[in-house]
Structure formats: structure tokens, C-alpha cells
Amino acid sequence: MSGWAPRPSLGERGVAVPMAVLIVMAMVTVASVGVLALTYSATARAVRAAADLVAVSGAQAYGRGGDACAEARRIAGRNDVDLGTCSVTGDQIDFVVEVRVSRRVGWRLPGLPEQVASSAYAGTVAGIG
């Protein structure tokens, strides 16, 4: 009786296909959540980097006597982010440029934010220390 296997009872017949479907559905759900999390993470990282670049560009323009917010708007557009706010505090020597940028998230689920935003500061401050 080496090839003998117990026969499934009538209550267990046909369980393999629905069980396999449930397992595949669970795997697809986990993979989708993972892709969504990676999308938010990558977007947030890119927005933080763009905010830093936009603030530094605005500060450089202001330090040369230009319009900080016009330069910030131009650089924000080139980095595919929306410039929400831009402000300059201080004078031509001691100043800080503050920007807030945002970008829409590609994939999203109901209840999660539609966009990711970040703020950054750049400038010069003399006389500290």
C-alpha cells in the first residue's frame, strides 16, 4: 500500500480552487499596497529635494539683487512642483527665503492625501556666533 492516499471527504472537495484564488488575491493586495507606499515615499523624497533646490535658487537670485520668488517659481516649474508660497525675510545682506512646494501623487487611494508638500529655507545670516 505504498501508493495509497486517503480520499477527501465530500465536504473538502473543490476547496483548492477557491483557496488558491484567495491566496492570489491576498498577494495582489499586498503588492498593490507596497507599490502605493513606494509611490508616496518616492514623491515625498523628490518634493523635499525640489523644495531645497527652489529655496537655494531663490536665495542666490536675491543675493545677486534679483527677484527671489520669480526665480523660485521658474525652478519649481522645471522640477515639476507647484510653488505654494514664497517669502523673503530680512534685507539684502541678512535674509532668508522660505518656500513651500507640492506635487500631486500619481496613484492614490481614497482617504490618502492627493499631494505631498514640503517647505525649505535658504539664505544668509551674518553676525551669528
Side-chain angles (χ1 to χ4, degrees):
M1 295 211 162
S2 62
W4 181 85
R7 300 186 88 188
S9 68
L10 290 177
E12 294 176 351
R13 284 192 166 171
V15 172
V17 171
M19 191 65 122
V21 169
L22 286 175
I23 290 171
V24 169
M25 287 175 57
M27 290 172 58
V28 168
T29 301
V30 168
S32 298
V33 169
V35 167
L36 185 65
L38 289 174
T39 299
Y40 270 90
S41 176
T43 302
R45 185 177 302 119
V47 169
R48 283 192 304 270
D52 289 339
L53 181 61
V54 168
V56 168
S57 297
Q60 286 179 342
Y62 191 77
R64 292 189 310 264
D67 185 353
C69 293
E71 180 68 6
R73 196 174 298 83
R74 185 180 77 81
I75 298 300
R78 294 185 70 160
N79 284 276
D80 296 324
V81 292
D82 298 319
L83 180 63
T85 61
C86 176
S87 64
V88 179
T89 305
D91 56 26
Q92 196 68 31
I93 297 171
D94 295 331
F95 64 89
V96 174
V97 176
E98 177 183 357
V99 298
R100 181 162 180 81
V101 299
S102 62
R103 178 184 291 162
R104 293 183 64 81
V105 178
W107 291 9
R108 72 174 212 86
L109 289 176
L112 292 177
E114 292 182 16
Q115 59 183 342
V116 176
S118 182
S119 296
Y121 307 89
T124 62
V125 180
I128 293 180

